[in-house]
Amino acid sequence: AAGVIQSPRHLIKEKRETATLKCYPIPRHDTVYWYQQGPGQDPQFLISFYEKMQSDKGSIPDRFSAQQFSDYHSELNMSSLELGDSALYFCASSQRGGAGEQYFGPGTRLTVT
Amino acid sequence: GNSVTQMEGPVTLSEEAFLTINCTYTATGYPSLFWYVQYPGEGLQLLLKATKADDKGSNKGFEATYRKETTSFHLEKGSVQVSDSAVYFCALSGSQGAQKLVFGQGTRLTINP
């Protein structure tokens, strides 16, 4: 079965640089979520989109922005990177009308040096 | 707001031992409850789910029952294997459509042969 695809899998950036993470949801899933997981921590919700519109917003820094495109893929743009942004970034997708279960991609490991 | 509390880890067991990982939650309304598992270097995999009181979710020998009276969703397995070694996250989502997941802090499980 098709899964959530994230790219790149690993990314190394320097402070103050920008990064773009991409997410391709499971076909026919209409909702995309982004989460940030620090080392040894639980995932923290950043932002979500339903039918290309932002549906909820969590603890996402103002330096970050995201959008969902007409083909339902989503991109998380991160600017003025800081050391503390080093983390695993997960994308998940779901189908509205389901039980609320989300299916996660393998994650992008971002390292800021 | 919604929150999830898991038993503190790490948990170390011998193969074929009985496993319980406690999870309690605080939420308004009737949330959906989930257990996710994260193997080293991988994303989160949905292990099981329950969407209403007294529902029992089960998968791969793991079980959890949605107990509204005690606001709990404890994970159990009768006989663990070395391959069950991973980090386990309890999570909830709101009852209205597609909503963000709120995770517990995770429990690292190690099974020794």
Side-chain angles (χ1 to χ4, degrees), chain A residues 7-92:
Chain A
S7 67
R9 293 293 309 277
H10 303 273
L11 192 57
I12 300 175
K13 292 286 186 178
E14 295 187 355
K15 284 193 303 184
R16 293 180 288 279
E17 286 192 320
T18 61
T20 297
L21 280 54
K22 296 185 179 182
C23 168
Y24 297 85
I26 292 171
R28 292 180 294 282
H29 280 196
D30 49 26
T31 306
V32 168
Y33 310 79
W34 286 96
Y35 294 85
Q36 177 191 60
Q37 185 180 32
Q41 297 181 1
D42 57 291
Q44 295 293 313
F45 171 72
L46 294 177
I47 195 166
S48 63
F49 293 87
Y50 169 65
E51 287 290 344
K52 293 153 279 185
M53 299 288 290
Q54 180 181 309
S55 57
D56 196 4
K57 194 171 182 180
S59 49
I60 183 169
D62 292 340
R63 300 176 289 107
F64 294 7
S65 65
Q67 58 182 325
Q68 187 179 29
F69 294 86
S70 58
D71 64 352
Y72 291 94
H73 94 273
S74 178
E75 295 184 3
L76 178 65
N77 298 293
M78 311 159 71
S79 63
S80 303
L81 287 169
E82 302 174 356
L83 296 178
D85 296 329
S86 296
L88 264 173
Y89 290 84
F90 289 108
C91 172

Side-chain angles (χ1 to χ4, degrees), chain A residues 9 31 33 35 37 40-43 45 56-57 88 90 94 96 99-107, chain B residues 32 34 36 38 41-46 49 51 89 93 97-106 108:
Chain A
R9 293 293 309 277
T31 306
Y33 310 79
Y35 294 85
Q37 185 180 32
Q41 297 181 1
D42 57 291
F45 171 72
D56 196 4
K57 194 171 182 180
L88 264 173
F90 289 108
S94 72
R96 185 160 288 213
E101 65 268 39
Q102 297 175 22
Y103 295 89
F104 283 75
Chain B
S32 294
F34 308 91
Y36 281 85
Q38 186 174 30
E42 297 186 12
L44 289 91
Q45 299 178 24
L46 177 64
K49 67 182 181 188
T51 59
F89 290 95
S93 71
Q99 295 198 14
K100 65 184 179 186
L101 289 171
V102 175
F103 289 89
Q105 65 268 43
R108 181 174 298 278

Side-chain angles (χ1 to χ4, degrees), chain A residues 42-44, chain B residues 1-7 22-35 66-68 70-73 89-95 99-106:
Chain A
D42 57 291
Q44 295 293 313
Chain B
N2 297 343
S3 66
V4 176
T5 302
Q6 281 181 240
M7 66 183 291
N22 290 337
C23 171
T24 58
Y25 67 90
T26 300
T28 55
Y30 300 89
S32 294
L33 301 174
F34 308 91
W35 277 99
Y66 190 143
R67 300 288 189 199
K68 190 159 180 64
T70 54
T71 61
S72 65
F73 193 54
F89 290 95
C90 184
L92 68 79
S93 71
S95 54
Q99 295 198 14
K100 65 184 179 186
L101 289 171
V102 175
F103 289 89
Q105 65 268 43

Side-chain angles (χ1 to χ4, degrees), chain A residues 100-113:
Chain A
E101 65 268 39
Q102 297 175 22
Y103 295 89
F104 283 75
T108 294
R109 181 173 295 281
L110 172 66
T111 303
V112 181
T113 62

